[in-house]
Amino acid sequence: MTRAPAFLEDNMLQRILSRMRQGDWLLTAAAFVLVMFGLAAIYSVALSQTETDFLNVKKQVAALAIGAALFVGATAFNYRLFKNYTIVLYI
């Protein structure tokens, strides 16, 4: 029998992959489509201007990258760790 690579045996990686499988992919895809429509609209406005530097498009792409990273981080985070601190966090 062959063993799985060492990085696949990591418990944390398995938890992240398990949560990704359980995720709401329809909602994620719908949000992605809306973001792409927004980027297309901003790009269209940038094309209509005489001085085109696409600064707003670049800003939106950077915001998309940051938001996607935060989304993946929030998905991988186990919020149940704060169960014992709910009263303190609520106040």
Side-chain angles (χ1 to χ4, degrees), residues 4 9 15 19 21 23 28 30 32 42-44 54 60 73 77-78 83 90:
E9 292 178 4
R15 283 194 320 247
R19 286 190 186 180
R21 281 188 219 106
T28 304
F32 182 76
I42 293 170
Y43 181 75
S44 172
F54 298 105
Q60 289 298 317
F77 181 72
N78 186 4
K83 184 172 76 172
Y90 184 71

Side-chain angles (χ1 to χ4, degrees), residues 1 4-5 8 11 13 18 21 31 39 41 50 53 56-60 69 72 79 84 88-89:
M1 280 181 113
L8 288 179
N11 191 23
L13 181 63
S18 172
R21 281 188 219 106
L39 278 174
T50 56
D53 61 352
N56 287 333
V57 177
K58 292 175 186 176
K59 286 181 184 179
Q60 289 298 317
V72 169
Y79 62 89
N84 296 331
V88 174
L89 292 173

Side-chain angles (χ1 to χ4, degrees), residues 2-15:
T2 60
R3 290 188 71 199
F7 68 90
L8 288 179
E9 292 178 4
D10 187 15
N11 191 23
M12 183 177 173
L13 181 63
Q14 288 177 350
R15 283 194 320 247

Side-chain angles (χ1 to χ4, degrees), residues 16-33 68 71-72 75:
I16 291 171
L17 291 175
S18 172
R19 286 190 186 180
M20 286 181 71
R21 281 188 219 106
Q22 296 172 357
D24 189 357
W25 290 105
L26 182 62
L27 180 63
T28 304
F32 182 76
V33 167
F71 173 75
V72 169
T75 303

